[in-house]
């Protein structure tokens, strides 16, 4: 299909007359058309379609349909039905009342083109650009960021279910593309073992029996791989995606002993969670855990403005693997906001996004003040009478002086076990061994001298400054606005279905999140233009009875309320 760009026209007179009569107070779709006009021009999507072929349905209109679809959490069939039957959608799209719309499969094809070109960001950016042109969003204000977990569109599997399902998926894939070859190589017992989907309820519960079943599955999978990679086998069988997934899973889950027997790996010998496949149906899904929440899927970071005199609009969406910690999202969020010209002066985040290097980078490279609680020092050097804080660091002369007057000059730049730059300063044995308080200063029973580990100077001073100010009432007042992002996540989860992936794979999930954020922004722009006030934070009946002088302040109160 080809695209022939057309200038967006006005709303047909008959469509406008009927829509205004049917919706005297308007609707979201009608008000957006009146306030913002035709949001998405066809030229914006010119690169997604060839120049020749059967004319495609207007991609600008398809983009608007996709956003409205996510605004109302509609599946493709109902969204296509809304284009045919709903007057307010015809008004927003500028269609005649008699326009038949399109088949619902067009939406899936359009999303495929968006995913292949990573063009979901364009739709999200266009909504932001329209809001910027209307003066509803600006740079150098205040912003806040938080993340939430997203559940994959595939079934969660334990280790035993995963290997059985992976072999089953490979057999089904080969049965579809090479039935004659598979018939000549299949073991008759495989029909009973792998014809049905594995369910832990029917699998052995005893540990020894489960290991035996896992190793039997391993031998079956190894035999299938040996047949596929045999010289006489067609070479193209090795390119079947399910076969490659089977090979990777067997590398991660099994070993071969000295006699060539297949053995199931001990869980401690398996690859780390960031690399371990957990489902043959979505190889980008990973298992992760955060406090008491365990899930298989992804993670999404939402950033929104929080100035009191403007609508709170989402300015950045970052979708990542579930195993990536929040701290690694801070710099990419700032870089994305800088590229869009929407960097804030103050960025309010929770503890997971803050450390010394991020504070320094945000201020030096982007002019952003990163506000968030700094984690306490939990190392052994932070405890006792001779904690690290009582040692005096002379950065200019590169020395450290202990409370008893001894000075260490062995200053060495190094890397921590996580690869972050640190500075290690070691005292001399001649100073530490005769010291009468050595047992209080050195926690290790074998160490003979004290060692002090600090961050490089900019990060060290940023950490100390953050820990000093975060206990003040002024800091709590500035930080209190962070709680509002939890309301945005709640809206995205409960109204727009953000918690569950509609599609498989990280690129499609990223598109879903961009469309969801665009839909939330349009709803908030509509609420702002309609003078609808923001919802107030709910207070329970019991909390309302609390005496004013007993109300806790700051984060403690937020935790109690949420």
């Amino acid at each position: 299909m080809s695209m022939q760009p057309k200038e967006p026209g006005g709303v047909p007179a008959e469509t406008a007359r009927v829509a205004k009569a049917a919706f005297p107070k308007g609707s979201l779709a009608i008000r957006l058309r009146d306030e913002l006009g035709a949001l998405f021009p066809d030229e914006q999507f010119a690169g997604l379609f060839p120049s020749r072929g059967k004319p495609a349905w207007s991609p600008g209109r398809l983009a608007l349909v996709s956003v409205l679809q996510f605004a109302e959490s509609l599946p493709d069939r109902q969204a296509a039905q809304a284009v045919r039957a709903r007057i307010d959608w015809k008004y927003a799209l500028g269609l005649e009342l008699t326009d038949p719309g399109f088949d619902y499969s067009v939406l899936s094809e359009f999303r495929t083109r968006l995913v292949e070109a990573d063009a979901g960001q364009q739709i999200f950016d266009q909504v932001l650009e329209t809001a910027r042109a209307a003066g509803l969003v600006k740079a150098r204000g205040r912003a806040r960021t938080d993340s939430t977990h997203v559940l994959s569109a595939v079934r969660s599997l334990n280790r035993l279910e995963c290997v059985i399902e992976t072999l089953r998926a490979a057999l089904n894939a080969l049965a579809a593309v090479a039935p004659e070859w598979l018939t000549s190589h299949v073991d008759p017992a495989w029909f009973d073992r792998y014809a049905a989907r594995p369910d832990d309820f029917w699998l052995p519960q005893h540990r020894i029996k489960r290991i035996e079943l896992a190793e039997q599955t391993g031998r079956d999978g190894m035999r299938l791989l040996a047949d596929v990679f045999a010289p006489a086998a067609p070479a193209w069988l090795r390119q079947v995606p399910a076969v490659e997934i089977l090979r990777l899973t067997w590398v991660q889950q099994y070993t071969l002993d000295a006699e060539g027997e297949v053995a199931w790996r001990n869980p401690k010998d398996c690859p780390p969670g960031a690399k371990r496949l957990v489902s043959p149906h979505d190889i980008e899904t990973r298992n992760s855990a955060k406090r008491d929440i365990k899930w298989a899927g992804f993670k999404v970071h939402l950033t929104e403005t929080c100035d009191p005199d403007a609508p709170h609009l989402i300015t950045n969406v970052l979708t990542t693997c579930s195993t990536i910690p929040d701290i690694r999202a801070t710099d990419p969020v700032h870089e994305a906001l800088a590229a869009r010209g929407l960097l804030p002066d103050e960025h309010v985040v929770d503890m997971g996004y803050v450390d010394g290097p991020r504070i320094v980078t945000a201020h030096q490279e982007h002019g952003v003040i990163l506000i968030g609680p700094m984690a306490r020092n939990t190392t052994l050097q932070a405890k006792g009478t001779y904690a690290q804080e009582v040692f005096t660091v002379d950065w200019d002369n590169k020395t450290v002086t202990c409370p008893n007057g001894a000075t260490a000059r062995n200053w060495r730049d190094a890397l921590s076990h996580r690869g972050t730059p640190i500075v290690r300063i070691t005292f001399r044995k001649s100073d530490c061994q005769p010291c009468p308080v050595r047992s209080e200063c050195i926690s290790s029973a074998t160490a003979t001298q004290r060692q002090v580990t600090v961050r490089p100077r900019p990060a060290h001073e940023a950490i100390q400054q953050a820990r000093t100010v975060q206990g003040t009432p002024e800091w709590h007042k500035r930080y209190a606005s962070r709680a509002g992002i939890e309301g945005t996540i709640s809206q995205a989860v409960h109204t727009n279905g953000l918690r569950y992936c509609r599609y498989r794979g990280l690129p499609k999930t990223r598109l879903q999140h961009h469309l969801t954020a665009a839909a939330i922004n349009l709803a908030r722009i509509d609420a702002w233009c309609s003078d609808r006030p923001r919802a107030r934070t709910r207070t329970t009946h019991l909390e309302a009875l609390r005496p004013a002088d007993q109300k806790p302040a700051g984060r403690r109160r937020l935790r109690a309320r949420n």
Side-chain angles (χ1 to χ4, degrees):
M1 301 182 72
S2 66
M3 190 195 76
Q4 300 173 0
K6 298 180 181 179
E7 289 292 330
V11 180
E14 185 64 11
T15 302
R17 185 185 68 81
V18 175
K20 296 295 184 180
F23 295 90
K25 296 183 179 180
S27 69
L28 173 64
I30 291 175
R31 287 190 295 267
L32 289 177
R33 177 71 189 216
D34 291 340
E35 294 290 340
L36 305 178
L39 272 174
F40 306 105
D42 286 347
E43 292 81 359
Q44 181 178 352
F45 307 97
L48 305 183
F49 295 84
S51 57
R52 294 183 179 182
K54 182 181 178 181
W57 215 72
S58 166
R61 285 171 171 162
L62 285 176
L64 180 57
V65 170
S66 299
V67 175
L68 291 175
Q69 173 186 5
F70 277 81
E72 301 186 20
S73 294
L74 300 177
D76 288 352
R77 289 178 184 270
Q78 292 183 16
Q81 180 69 15
V83 173
R84 287 191 295 270
R86 286 180 51 174
I87 298 173
D88 57 337
W89 278 41
K90 287 184 179 292
Y91 183 95
L93 297 168
L95 298 177
E96 297 283 354
L97 292 178
T98 56
D99 193 293
F102 51 82
D103 185 78
Y104 73 94
S105 62
V106 172
L107 287 173
S108 177
E109 296 171 0
F110 180 62
R111 285 195 304 271
T112 299
R113 295 178 185 274
L114 292 176
V115 169
E116 291 174 350
D118 196 17
Q121 183 74 49
Q122 296 182 20
I123 295 177
F124 175 72
D125 288 347
Q126 182 62 30
V127 173
L128 278 181
E129 189 58 36
T130 302
R132 189 205 297 264
L136 300 178
V137 63
K138 59 183 179 180
R140 294 305 170 185
R142 304 187 82 231
R144 53 198 178 196
T145 297
D146 203 359
S147 67
T148 190
H149 62 284
V150 179
L151 304 180
S152 174
V154 297
R155 189 168 65 104
S156 180
L157 304 171
N158 59 40
R159 281 187 70 200
L160 181 55
E161 289 176 312
C162 181
V163 294
I164 297 174
E165 179 64 19
T166 301
L167 178 53
R168 177 174 172 269
L171 289 171
N172 277 312
L174 291 174
V177 299
E180 295 181 358
W181 180 90
L182 184 61
T183 300
S184 62
H185 291 81
V186 70
D187 187 327
W190 291 359
F191 293 104
D192 293 331
R193 292 174 189 164
Y194 309 114
R197 187 180 74 174
D199 192 323
D200 197 57
F201 181 79
W202 301 107
L203 298 178
Q205 300 303 308
H206 194 275
R207 177 176 175 273
I208 300 300
K209 294 292 185 181
R210 294 175 75 89
I211 293 177
E212 291 176 354
L213 178 57
E215 292 183 343
Q216 176 64 62
T217 305
R219 290 191 293 272
D220 293 342
M222 201 68 73
R223 174 185 163 181
L224 178 63
L225 289 172
D227 290 343
V228 169
F229 282 86
W236 61 268
L237 289 179
R238 303 160 198 167
Q239 307 302 320
V240 176
V243 172
E244 177 63 14
I245 294 172
L246 175 66
R247 186 188 69 81
L248 292 175
T249 302
W250 257 234
V251 169
Q252 294 181 352
Q253 298 290 348
Y254 293 98
T255 60
L256 291 176
D257 59 20
E259 289 75 23
E261 291 295 325
V262 178
W264 204 24
R265 287 183 184 270
N266 185 288
K268 294 183 179 179
D269 295 332
C270 291
K275 297 182 179 180
R276 188 166 62 248
L277 302 181
V278 298
S279 173
H281 306 298
D282 188 347
I283 61 174
E284 293 172 306
T285 291
R286 296 291 182 269
N287 286 330
S288 189
K290 185 175 182 180
R291 293 187 289 272
D292 59 339
I293 301 175
K294 297 180 180 180
W295 79 98
F298 307 96
K299 186 186 290 186
V300 61
H301 305 261
L302 299 181
T303 303
E304 70 173 3
T305 59
C306 55
D307 297 302
D309 58 345
H312 296 168
L313 302 182
I314 299 173
T315 54
N316 191 70
V317 180
L318 177 63
T319 306
T320 67
C321 178
S322 63
T323 57
I324 296 179
D326 291 350
I327 193 65
R328 290 175 56 185
T330 306
D331 290 343
V333 167
H334 288 159
E335 292 167 2
L337 292 175
R340 210 172 289 121
L342 291 174
L343 278 170
D345 277 336
E346 291 186 354
H347 191 187
V348 189
V349 295
D350 68 13
M351 185 182 296
Y353 294 90
V354 181
D355 66 1
R358 267 67 180 188
I359 294 176
V360 173
T361 301
H363 180 67
Q364 292 182 349
E365 297 186 7
H366 303 294
V368 174
I369 300 174
L370 193 62
I371 301 175
M374 181 65 63
R376 294 182 295 109
N377 189 347
T378 58
T379 64
L380 293 176
Q381 291 187 354
K383 302 176 181 178
T385 306
Y386 292 89
Q388 182 173 301
E389 283 72 14
V390 301
F391 286 71
T392 303
V393 181
D394 186 342
W395 294 96
D396 296 328
N397 296 315
K398 294 187 176 181
T399 61
V400 172
T401 304
C402 81
N404 294 329
T407 299
R409 303 181 184 278
N410 186 355
W411 186 288
R412 182 169 59 91
D413 294 330
L415 294 176
S416 70
H417 66 284
R418 296 178 179 175
T420 56
I422 57 175
V423 178
R424 287 196 175 102
I425 309 98
T426 307
F427 284 81
R428 294 176 296 184
K429 293 183 181 179
S430 58
D431 290 330
C432 293
Q433 285 184 339
C435 182
V437 294
R438 183 165 66 91
S439 60
E440 300 179 37
C441 183
I442 302 176
S443 58
S444 174
T446 58
T448 58
Q449 58 204 114
R450 175 65 185 263
Q451 185 180 84
V452 175
T453 303
V454 296
R455 296 273 193 172
R457 184 173 186 176
H460 177 80
E461 293 178 345
I463 291 173
Q464 299 306 314
Q465 174 67 14
R467 288 174 177 162
T468 300
V469 303
Q470 70 185 26
T472 62
E474 293 78 10
W475 184 91
H476 281 288
K477 183 177 180 180
R478 296 171 68 189
Y479 183 68
S481 62
R482 192 215 67 87
I485 190 67
E486 296 175 1
T488 298
I489 291 176
S490 178
Q491 177 185 359
V493 167
H494 294 99
T495 304
N496 303 94
L498 185 73
R499 176 75 71 225
Y500 299 94
C501 293
R502 287 192 176 201
Y503 322 109
R504 296 177 183 177
L506 185 60
K508 292 183 179 180
T509 302
R510 184 182 297 115
L511 172 63
Q512 174 185 343
H513 294 164
H514 278 129
L515 294 176
T516 299
I520 292 174
N521 280 348
L522 289 180
R524 292 187 172 186
I525 291 172
D526 173 57
W528 181 265
C529 295
S530 302
D531 294 325
R532 292 200 300 276
R534 301 188 184 102
R536 299 183 63 181
T537 302
R538 294 185 180 91
T539 303
T540 64
H541 297 296
L542 179 61
E543 178 67 21
L545 296 178
R546 185 195 295 270
D549 57 350
Q550 295 183 11
K551 291 185 178 181
R555 180 64 180 163
R556 181 181 167 195
R557 182 181 179 186
L558 293 173
R559 285 177 178 170
R561 184 174 56 204
N562 293 333

